[in-house]
Structures are given as C-alpha cells and as structure tokens.
Amino acid sequence: MKKTLFFIFCNPVFFFAQVPIGYYDDASGLTGYELKSKLHEIISAKTITWHYGDLPNFYRQTDLDQYYDFDDSNTTFLLDMYSANPNATAPYHYTSENLISSAKVEGEGYNREHMMPQSSFNSTYPMYSDLFFVIPTDAKINQLRSNYPYGMAGSTTFHLFTNGSRIGNNATPDSPYTGRVYEPIDEFKGDIARSLLYYTVRYEGKLNSFNFFYGNSPSGDRNPLDGTEEKAFENWYLQMLLQWHQNDPVSQKEFDRNNIVYGIQNNRNPFIDHPEWVNVIWTQNSGTITPTAPENLQSSQTSAYFIKLTWNATEDAKVLGYKIYQDGIYIGYSKCESFTVDHLVPNTNYQFTVKAYYNDYSESSTSNLLNETTLSEDTYAKDLLITKYLEGSENNKALEITNRTGHAVDLNKYRIGIQFFNTLTNSYYTVADYELEGVVENNSTFVILNPNSNFECITNDEAKFVSAAPQMTFTGNNYVELRYLNTSVDALGFRYADNYATLGDVSLYRSSTVTNPNTSFSLAEWQSYPADYCDDLGVLSATEVLNNKNFKFSIVPNPVVDDYLFVKGKDLEKIKTAIVTDMSGKQILRISFPFKNFNRLEVQKLLPGIYILQLDNQSLKFLKQ
C-alpha cells in the first residue's frame, strides 16, 4: 500500500533544513552554465568513491521503502523505481540480500542499475559506483532496458512491466532517434531526471570524453549526451528531463536519500536541495550575434613538453569559453584566457588556434595562427610521477603523486590501473580504471587514500582523493600504474607477475634524485620502509621546496605568525600569479599580480598548517601558526 505524504512546497526550509551550513555559498548569485560549473566544484570536492561491491550494503540505508509498499512489521524491502507501485501492493519484494546477476522473469531479484549506462563511461570509477545514479532495480527489467535511453514510449510496446513502466519505440517530441526507450511511471520521472542532471554536473570536465552517440537503427542504442561539457544532453532529451522535473517535484524519498548519500559519499544532488536551479541553468536566452574572435594568441612559456598559451580577453560578456586547436584538431577548452598544452614532443613545431563560443555553442572565427617549437630539453619532469606507495595492514593503502612538470596539470585524463590474478583461470586480468579529476598545481603533491585506512599521519579529510575502488585495494602482489588516457606514465611492480617479493608489506618512497616517471619499474629508485610507515605523506621534501639555491624569492618570517605573509626578492612586481595550496593540492588562494603595491599577502583566514605558495614557476613551503 502507499503511504501518503503531504508537503508544503512554498516553504523552502522544509527541504533545505539538512543542507550543511555554507555548502552552496560559493554558488550564490550565479546563473546559467557559470552556476553549473560552480556546483560541479562544490559537489566534486572531497567526495568518497566506494567499491561497486559496497553498494548492496549501502542500499540498506539509502533505498528502503518507507514511502509506498511497506508495513510497520517489515521495513527491509528495497524501493525499486522500475517495479514499485505507488497505488497498490507490489506483486514481489526483495531485500538487499537478493542481489542476482540475471533473471528470467520479474521478481527474482535485483541488479545495480546505472541510470546513465556504464557503457557511456566505459565502467570506470568514480562513475561506476556513484550512489546518486546507481540504484537497485528489478534484474529482469534492468536486463531488458539494456543501454536504451529513458524516453516517452510510443504506441508500439515491446515490454510492459507490472507497475506500468514499459519499453517501446521513442516518441519523445523533436527527437531524431527512432530506436527503443524505457519509460518509467510518472511517479518517478522527476527522480530520474534530477539524477541524470546531477550526473552532468558531477562529471563536467569528463563528459566530452564519454561515448555520446551509438547509432539510430530501430533496435539500436543511443546515448543522449551531446559531447558538450555545459549543456551536456541533446536538445530533445534535455527538454524531456526538464519537463519530467517540472511535472514530478522533489519528494520526501529524494530528500531523505540525498541526506543519507551525503553521509556516505560526502556530496549532494543540488537539484534536490534547490530544484529551481534546473531552470536557472538550462533555460537561457541564446544570442544571435557571432562571438568575437580571440586576439593576440601567443606563448607565455615554451618547454620541451608543454606550451602555455594566452590570448586577449574578449569584451563580449556572453562568451562562455574558448576552444583550443592543435594542428587543426580540437584538444580542449578553457573558461579563461589561457591554456597549457602538454604531452608534447621535444624539438617539434606545433600550430595553435583558438575560438570563442557562446552558451548556444555558436563559435567565433579563428584567432591568429601561432607557430611554436618546443625546446630540445629542459629541467622539468616529463609528466606526473608516483612518489610514495604505502601498503599496510588491512585497508591501509595510499598513493602519493607529485607534479614537477613546471605547470598546473588537468587530472581529468589521468587514471590509476591495477592488475589482479584469477586463481581459477590461472591468469592475470585488469579491471576498469579509477579516473582522477581536478587540477594539481606545479610543485605540488597529492594523496589517494583508501577510506577505511587508519594511518596516523593522514585522515580522509586531508587526502585529495578518497577511494575504495579496486585500485586502492592492492595487497603487494599487484601491478599498479598511473596512466594518461591509455598510455602508461609510471609503474609499480611488473606486469603479469606476482610482485609480493618487491611490493608486499612495505612502504616505498621515491628517491629525491628521481625526477621523471618510469614505466619500467626499478626498485633502485625507491627507499623501502616497514608496512604502515607514512611519515611526510603528502608533503614535498624540504630539498624539493625550500633549499633550491636558484630560488629568487623567500618567505619571511617562516613560520608565518601574523596575518600577513611577506615575500623577499627582486622584481616582485613582475610576478603574475600567486597561488596558495594546502598539502592535498587544494587551491586556497589565487591572486593576480599580487605584489603590485606591497610585498605581502593576507593569510589571516588560513588555518594553522603547512602550505605551498606558488609564485609563477617557483614554489615555496611555509608553516602558518
């Protein structure tokens, strides 16, 4: 039977009561895609990625049916949006223990359903186990839904399920897709829409790399992502989601689940807390004027492996961002007037152009053509490198990665891979990667930590990434690697081998003399310590930061004991950017031309601790007392 719940939607306090104080403060006053990008920053910071195998246990908290088909004597039934009947008793139920791999008919058990098919992101973490769009659903319905998108099913029904949801040919207005879709019942259309819109916010920065078009045959699958980072979905699909969101407002079920998932993953679905933001972001007026082309494209720094591009800011406030092209091929986008092109080859000529684009994705003409040749060599590292590997008792697992490349690095294309051994088949195998995200500044280091660890030197809050994905369950036997896309960058251990004799039950620290990653593992590059050893984890060594005789600047006094940090050195007024990061790599402060008038920075708001001050290409470590 259905439990009737009454809400007063005009009173926002009812829904916002459990949102942490200050959680959305940085989004205040923003609109459009600028709001969407800021929400991405908020809900992506300090999240916890759990193992796919952890989800059934979490479903006992997140998805118990206390709203529709239940009674006071049994509160262990899962709420399945694919089979729940809000107006009657469902013909079958299951608990979190009824997880099965496949089913012949409805009601045999449930699967973990990816509302956005996992084939769109190649089953990689953190997407693979995100509770906001990985839900328990009837196994048979899940199988039949396959990779079909959600949609409005037409008159031809291929499968009609017990609660009225169905699979049929797509009849969603204005859609070019004629293949099959899965249409949920009206009661849950808003829930599904808000989950998919969350997905486009949470994984902004990665969407362009996901699979976003499969085909259009009558029986074919279609992924409705459109390849953009901001709008994210094709027009027909987005309009359908907006309509579903409007027609099926946020329910008590969603509100409760949002709070529970926040306690597990440490992030929220902003469209449950603030339903009005859906229209604020995606209902925008498109301009009819073509954007102005960027001018004065030039290189502000050329290295052997990277080139920093800058151009003049356009005076057009409607410009959403800039697309960057290398040798005529699109390679990325920027929301500001600079972009670092990395993974280049030494002593090689490249051509670059830039285009501006509006929120309707109309583009400007091309900027001036920049010809630039990389240096034959330099002192910077070729790429990121693993600098610490901590293997300890039980779940004590951590990796430290350091950036000495000479520039800030976008982590969205970096992955951690791992290799396991199957005793049944007597063979080695790999699992889907764990993808990194965000930015790591030059001369900074960050930690990836298993959330169940109990190291004395670091907590979950202090690590940049907290993950129980398979990559962070290594035991010393495994081959572990850092990759850029599909190319190996740095390795721990050897492929297709039992590495326990080398990696097992030890903590490995990279020698300070090693400045470049190495895909051919050599134990000579590492210093071994006992299991659970973790001194200075996430901290650049003093020789790396403080004692470089070529440094032009210094911090006085250090430790900083007042509200101001003073910098000593020549030509301070020429410093373009000052960036302060904590030891996890999180940016705390950023100021352009910081010493135009004074030789000081205000650090009153910094908590006591160790920080890195980056002045253009020089980094200094300081202690705030």
Side-chain angles (χ1 to χ4, degrees):
M1 60 183 167
K2 179 179 179 180
K3 181 177 181 180
T4 304
L5 300 172
F6 297 94
F7 308 115
I8 302 176
F9 287 96
C10 61
N11 182 359
V13 176
F14 180 83
F15 286 100
F16 303 164
Q18 297 187 49
V19 179
I21 296 174
Y23 187 75
Y24 292 117
D25 280 1
D26 289 346
S28 177
L30 301 180
T31 61
Y33 296 135
E34 187 179 6
L35 170 60
K36 179 174 177 286
S37 295
K38 180 57 65 175
L39 291 176
H40 162 74
E41 292 180 16
I42 293 170
I43 70 172
S44 300
K46 297 293 185 180
T47 60
I48 300 177
T49 300
W50 293 100
H51 196 287
Y52 189 58
D54 293 325
L55 299 192
N57 287 332
F58 290 138
Y59 289 152
R60 297 171 189 168
Q61 304 174 52
T62 60
D63 290 276
L64 294 182
D65 189 354
Q66 304 175 53
Y67 312 93
Y68 301 105
D69 190 5
F70 80 103
D71 58 52
D72 293 336
S73 65
N74 192 340
T75 58
T76 62
F77 295 149
L78 297 181
L79 197 165
D80 165 21
M81 291 190 291
Y82 288 7
S83 64
N85 189 338
N87 301 307
T89 300
Y92 56 84
H93 305 93
Y94 36 73
T95 68
S96 61
E97 285 76 23
N98 299 136
L99 177 68
I100 58 176
S101 58
S102 62
K104 295 180 180 178
V105 296
E106 282 189 62
E108 290 187 346
Y110 78 95
N111 286 158
R112 290 156 288 191
E113 162 73 316
H114 293 82
M115 301 166 80
M116 177 62 69
Q118 57 180 293
S119 54
S120 66
F121 51 84
N122 299 315
S123 302
T124 54
Y125 288 86
M127 292 71 67
Y128 190 53
S129 62
D130 189 332
L131 280 163
F132 277 118
F133 76 100
V134 186
I135 57 173
T137 62
D138 178 80
K140 183 61 177 177
I141 301 177
N142 187 354
Q143 289 169 219
L144 292 173
R145 186 221 162 183
S146 184
N147 290 337
Y148 302 139
Y150 297 102
M152 304 299 295
S155 57
T156 301
T157 298
F158 299 102
H159 301 284
L160 179 63
F161 303 111
T162 56
N163 77 336
S165 65
R166 61 196 181 112
I167 293 176
N169 278 340
N170 186 31
T172 307
D174 302 319
S175 173
Y177 172 59
T178 58
R180 297 183 181 186
V181 296
Y182 172 74
E183 181 177 358
I185 62 174
D186 291 346
E187 180 77 13
F188 301 117
K189 284 178 177 175
D191 307 53
I192 289 171
R194 284 179 285 274
S195 294
L196 296 181
L197 294 174
Y198 156 87
Y199 175 90
T200 68
V201 173
R202 172 65 183 88
Y203 299 108
E204 183 175 300
K206 293 182 177 291
L207 299 178
N208 183 255
S209 66
F210 291 166
N211 302 314
F212 51 87
F213 181 76
Y214 292 162
N216 198 32
S217 65
S219 61
D221 302 336
R222 184 187 183 97
N223 188 325
L225 292 172
D226 70 351
T228 66
E229 296 292 350
E230 299 91 357
K231 181 165 73 71
F233 287 119
E234 296 178 359
N235 288 334
W236 68 275
Y237 200 76
L238 179 60
Q239 292 308 311
M240 180 194 73
L241 295 180
L242 298 185
Q243 191 65 50
W244 285 7
H245 166 71
Q246 184 69 30
N247 293 345
D248 176 27
V250 176
S251 65
Q252 183 70 43
K253 173 187 83 71
E254 290 178 89
F255 177 65
D256 293 342
R257 194 176 193 276
N258 197 23
N259 288 322
I260 297 171
V261 174
Y262 174 72
I264 296 171
Q265 288 188 175
N266 200 36
N267 71 338
R268 303 182 68 84
N269 183 335
F271 305 121
I272 295 174
D273 293 327
H274 286 275
E276 74 279 7
W277 280 345
V278 171
N279 287 330
V280 171
I281 292 172
W282 279 284
T283 303
Q284 303 183 49
N285 294 323
S286 298
T288 58
I289 303 174
T290 302
T292 303
E295 297 180 346
N296 195 29
L297 175 64
Q298 58 182 310
S299 168
S300 64
Q301 184 180 4
T302 298
S303 169
Y305 305 103
F306 69 89
I307 295 175
K308 288 185 178 180
L309 305 177
T310 61
W311 54 91
N312 291 350
T314 176
E315 296 181 357
D316 191 343
K318 295 180 181 178
V319 167
L320 178 61
Y322 302 90
K323 295 183 178 180
I324 294 87
Y325 297 83
Q326 175 183 314
D327 298 330
I329 299 173
Y330 171 77
I331 59 170
Y333 73 101
S334 175
K335 295 298 180 70
C336 60
E337 294 74 37
S338 64
F339 186 86
T340 299
V341 186
D342 54 13
H343 294 90
L344 300 179
V345 177
N347 196 28
T348 302
N349 180 259
Y350 296 93
Q351 294 183 335
F352 301 101
T353 55
V354 177
K355 292 182 179 180
Y357 64 94
Y358 281 165
N359 62 17
D360 64 353
Y361 297 100
S362 59
E363 297 180 359
S364 72
S365 56
T366 303
S367 69
N368 60 291
L369 178 68
L370 173 65
N371 276 285
E372 195 73 16
T373 300
T374 51
L375 302 179
S376 299
E377 59 181 4
D378 62 25
T379 59
Y380 295 120
K382 296 180 181 179
D383 213 325
L384 304 180
L385 72 161
I386 303 171
T387 45
K388 294 183 178 72
Y389 164 90
L390 275 61
E391 157 63 355
S393 55
E394 297 182 347
N395 294 305
N396 279 1
K397 322 289 180 185
L399 296 173
E400 179 192 88
I401 297 175
T402 299
N403 176 15
R404 301 191 190 111
T405 63
H407 63 89
V409 172
D410 182 350
L411 294 173
N412 274 297
K413 295 181 180 180
Y414 285 87
R415 292 119 183 235
I416 304 296
I418 191 169
Q419 185 174 273
F420 293 98
F421 184 74
N422 188 327
T423 56
L424 296 178
T425 62
N426 198 37
S427 61
Y428 291 93
Y429 68 96
T430 58
V431 295
D433 294 335
Y434 172 62
E435 296 191 9
L436 305 181
E437 54 190 317
V439 174
V440 57
E441 299 294 337
N442 180 45
N443 275 342
S444 295
T445 190
F446 63 88
V447 173
I448 311 172
L449 184 67
N450 186 298
N452 296 312
S453 65
N454 60 354
F455 286 115
E456 294 182 358
C457 65
I458 192 169
T459 65
N460 287 351
D461 288 340
E462 294 171 321
K464 184 176 180 66
F465 299 101
V466 181
S467 176
Q471 289 72 17
M472 296 307 297
T473 64
F474 49 80
T475 61
N477 305 69
N478 312 97
Y479 169 80
V480 179
E481 69 176 357
L482 171 67
R483 293 215 306 274
Y484 178 79
L485 295 177
N486 295 318
T487 301
S488 181
V489 171
D490 206 4
L492 284 156
F494 304 96
R495 295 180 188 269
Y496 313 116
D498 185 338
N499 289 285
Y500 190 80
T502 303
L503 302 179
D505 295 335
V506 296
S507 291
L508 297 179
Y509 280 43
R510 206 77 171 255
S511 298
S512 59
T513 56
V514 178
T515 58
N516 276 296
N518 186 358
T519 57
S520 298
F521 178 74
S522 172
L523 193 57
E525 294 183 354
W526 300 82
Q527 297 175 346
S528 296
Y529 295 91
D532 295 321
Y533 180 89
C534 65
D535 285 3
D536 294 326
L537 180 64
V539 178
L540 289 174
S541 68
T543 56
E544 294 171 319
V545 178
L546 291 177
N547 297 330
N548 190 325
K549 296 180 180 179
N550 295 321
F551 279 4
K552 297 165 55 179
F553 311 112
S554 59
I555 297 172
V556 290
N558 193 358
V560 178
V561 296
D562 205 346
D563 294 339
Y564 292 95
L565 175 155
F566 293 87
V567 176
K568 183 179 179 181
K570 294 182 179 180
D571 298 323
L572 286 174
E573 70 280 0
K574 295 182 180 180
I575 294 175
K576 295 180 180 179
T577 308
I579 299 172
V580 175
T581 62
D582 64 18
M583 298 314 296
S584 73
K586 179 182 178 182
Q587 183 172 302
I588 307 298
L589 179 67
R590 184 187 185 101
I591 303 175
S592 298
F593 295 99
F595 306 117
K596 199 170 184 179
N597 299 311
F598 305 100
N599 69 328
R600 69 189 186 195
L601 297 177
E602 185 176 349
V603 292
Q604 180 182 8
K605 295 183 179 180
L606 294 186
L607 298 174
I610 301 174
Y611 297 89
I612 299 294
L613 171 63
Q614 181 179 335
L615 303 175
D616 290 341
N617 294 320
Q618 176 181 330
S619 292
L620 304 168
K621 184 164 64 175
F622 69 93
L623 175 65
K624 175 65 164 58
Q625 290 188 342

